Amino acid sequence: MSRRTQVSRPKLWKAGLILTTFIVGGFVIPGNLRGETYGIVNAANEFEPKVTIQVKKREIEIRKVNPADKFDSIALQVNPRNASLIRNVGLLKIEWISARDVPGRPLPFAGPRYDPNTRTYQDAMIPSVALKVLNTSTRPLFEGKAISDLFIVKINNEPLVSAESIREQPKTVRFGTGEDISIKIDRNTVVFNEDNYKKGEILNVDNRSGLDQVLGVELPTTGLLYYQVIRKPEQSKIPKENWNRFTVSPDSGIFIVVIPERDPAQLIRLDGQEIVINIYDDNRIRESRRIPVHVAADLRRDGAGYAERPDTGAIPSTELPGPDEGAVPQEPPGTRIAEPPARDTRPGTLEESRSGMWFWILQVSTLVILLGVAVYAFFFMLPRIQVLEDRLAKNEMFIHGSREAIRDELDQIKKEILDQCRSDAEPE
């Protein structure tokens, strides 16, 4: 009896260990492995979970929380700021998971259900319990990114919100601490490089305080080709004269759109400047959020030596103060030997303009010579063509005459044969 007890105790111990491991594992598994819950806020301001979204290295899985739900429409709009995903949208696939949790045949994402104007894939999700977006390209399009960086997901034309963001709203706002802040900005810095300096960047600012917020926006004064402050969700522009002070309602926000100049000298001036967002409390500034603007080294290198300060003339890009540096000390009077020449009078620029002028002269001369050769060839070949046409006409007339003569001769022979036959038949 004791032997059976000794045998059964290790089995119970192992079973308990396995059960404990599963229970603890359920709490320890990170949220990104289980998927994050997304849903909509109904008219009663209550959160309704709809799907769980899990972003993996090569796929995105969107699964219904309740498999019995029927979505008349589910839409995936490509994030307009994700240039890499936009370029590779033709290599994405959609895989639907049936009610029996069986995957179907992968279909092109950019197929009949895809609108290239809005970059949106839209279809009904009634019997299926999940769908997957597959990355068949060689680039890591999904790895290390949140779903908001990749797609804007809508169900029945309503954008989804995460359960975490809903749970944060009822908390008491403590300005400037942790996640409970008066405004939320989707980035801490703006960097312009080869990928985005032509189309610019957009800062997304949300009012999370639950109250009206009075904000002010200060943008760099140089180096920007286009800049605008837009209210959301109505997409209306705020007049420039009101940028220093305007009101943002709760659960709303603004977009700050900035597109830099393409001139390398202007890009150098833009590097190190800041976008400042002021938060007012009555008539005083309670808090200022500063977003530094940086320009990639390859863009600054193209404009090295072309940037000019207002008073001291041209300086190389290595002498420009960085975002945390002070102003460059001025040289005492008399130490400067000579001012550098203006940009349009530098020898390199003059040589470039002369070479460009000679290039165009060479192009025009070549075109004139080719035109002359064509005209000469046309007039030289025209008499020969006329002679050839005359010969062809004579040959055609000769052939026609020969054909008529042969026809006449055949008719004559036919007539003689008929006459001969008649004369032979008459004596009989």
Side-chain angles (χ1 to χ4, degrees):
M1 187 72 177
S2 61
R3 188 173 181 180
R4 290 182 180 178
T5 305
Q6 291 177 357
V7 173
S8 60
R9 281 179 180 175
K11 292 182 179 180
L12 292 174
W13 180 79
K14 290 180 180 180
L17 180 61
I18 294 173
L19 181 62
T20 304
T21 303
F22 276 108
I23 294 174
V24 174
F27 291 100
V28 174
I29 292 176
N32 60 349
L33 296 180
R34 298 193 304 266
E36 188 173 356
T37 302
Y38 284 79
I40 61 174
V41 179
N42 58 21
N45 201 23
E46 297 177 349
F47 179 74
E48 295 182 1
K50 294 294 183 181
V51 296
T52 59
I53 301 178
Q54 186 178 1
V55 180
K56 302 179 182 179
K57 288 185 178 181
R58 305 289 299 179
E59 67 179 37
I60 301 171
E61 182 183 77
I62 302 176
R63 182 174 291 271
K64 292 178 181 177
V65 173
N66 182 9
D69 285 344
K70 297 181 179 181
F71 302 150
D72 295 332
S73 169
I74 181 169
L76 284 79
Q77 182 180 5
V78 180
N79 190 329
R81 291 180 294 178
N82 195 327
S84 179
L85 187 61
I86 292 173
R87 288 195 297 267
N88 293 275
V89 71
L91 299 175
L92 301 181
K93 301 286 186 181
I94 287 286
E95 185 179 77
W96 292 94
I97 311 299
S98 68
R100 298 181 179 179
D101 213 11
V102 177
R105 181 171 60 89
L107 303 173
F109 182 88
R113 300 292 184 179
Y114 179 75
D115 185 356
N117 297 322
T118 59
R119 299 190 182 96
T120 303
Y121 176 90
Q122 186 171 358
D123 202 350
M125 189 176 181
I126 296 176
S128 301
V129 296
L131 67 86
K132 291 183 180 181
V133 183
L134 308 178
N135 174 22
T136 62
S137 71
T138 58
R139 299 178 61 86
L141 302 177
F142 303 157
E143 185 175 359
K145 294 182 174 61
I147 187 63
S148 58
D149 298 328
L150 304 170
F151 297 99
I152 300 171
V153 185
K154 297 181 181 179
I155 290 180
N156 297 333
N157 297 324
E158 293 190 39
L160 298 182
V161 294
S162 66
E164 293 295 330
S165 64
I166 295 298
R167 282 195 288 268
E168 288 178 1
Q169 289 183 359
K171 298 179 181 179
T172 303
V173 174
R174 298 188 302 276
F175 293 115
T177 60
E179 291 294 330
D180 298 319
I181 53 179
S182 57
I183 62 173
K184 182 179 180 181
I185 306 174
D186 63 346
R187 62 185 63 205
N188 297 322
T189 183
V190 175
V191 179
F192 291 112
N193 50 36
E194 289 288 348
D195 294 332
N196 65 357
Y197 87 100
K198 292 183 180 180
K199 60 183 179 181
E201 283 290 346
I202 300 176
L203 273 74
N204 189 1
V205 183
D206 293 316
N207 179 10
R208 302 178 63 253
S209 65
L211 303 171
D212 288 341
Q213 287 284 333
V214 180
L215 305 181
V217 175
E218 300 176 10
L219 298 179
T221 56
T222 58
L224 290 180
L225 175 66
Y226 176 84
Y227 43 89
Q228 193 59 255
V229 180
I230 303 172
R231 291 186 183 274
K232 62 176 185 177
E234 59 267 22
Q235 302 291 326
S236 60
K237 297 180 180 179
I238 300 176
K240 188 176 181 180
E241 57 270 17
N242 297 336
W243 286 359
N244 59 337
R245 191 179 176 92
F246 56 90
T247 303
V248 179
S249 59
D251 299 326
S252 183
I254 57 173
F255 294 117
I256 301 177
V257 184
V258 286
I259 301 177
E261 293 277 1
R262 297 189 180 184
D263 183 10
Q266 298 289 339
L267 288 173
I268 289 178
R269 293 191 184 98
L270 181 62
D271 184 49
Q273 298 197 47
E274 293 178 329
I275 298 173
V276 182
I277 302 174
N278 297 319
I279 306 172
Y280 285 87
D281 186 4
D282 292 334
N283 292 325
R284 67 181 182 86
I285 298 176
R286 183 184 66 238
E287 180 185 359
S288 293
R289 304 286 299 279
R290 298 181 178 273
I291 312 298
V293 180
H294 298 295
V295 180
D298 52 350
L299 297 180
R300 294 201 310 270
R301 193 182 304 114
D302 294 339
Y306 286 81
E308 298 181 358
R309 286 182 290 186
D311 299 325
T312 59
I315 60 172
S317 61
T318 54
E319 297 180 8
L320 290 175
D324 299 326
E325 299 175 355
V328 178
Q330 300 290 333
E331 297 176 351
T335 59
R336 172 166 287 187
I337 298 175
E339 291 289 336
R343 181 179 176 181
D344 57 347
T345 58
R346 291 198 314 273
T349 306
L350 293 176
E351 291 177 0
E352 291 177 0
S353 61
R354 289 172 183 171
S355 62
M357 182 179 63
W358 281 111
F359 174 77
W360 284 109
I361 291 175
L362 180 61
Q363 292 283 348
V364 173
S365 301
T366 305
L367 182 61
V368 171
I369 292 172
L370 290 176
L371 184 61
V373 170
V375 172
Y376 174 77
F378 177 75
F379 286 103
F380 177 75
M381 294 297 295
L382 185 61
R384 295 177 177 269
I385 294 173
Q386 291 177 349
V387 171
L388 182 61
E389 288 180 351
D390 293 341
R391 289 181 179 179
L392 290 175
K394 290 180 180 180
N395 290 336
E396 186 178 356
M397 292 175 64
F398 173 76
I399 293 172
H400 179 71
S402 300
R403 188 185 300 114
E404 292 296 328
I406 292 171
R407 186 180 292 112
D408 293 341
E409 187 174 355
L410 289 175
D411 291 341
Q412 184 66 29
I413 294 172
K414 179 180 177 182
K415 183 179 179 182
E416 291 178 356
I417 293 173
L418 292 174
D419 293 342
Q420 184 67 30
C421 292
R422 290 192 190 99
S423 60
D424 292 340
E426 285 177 359
E428 296 178 358

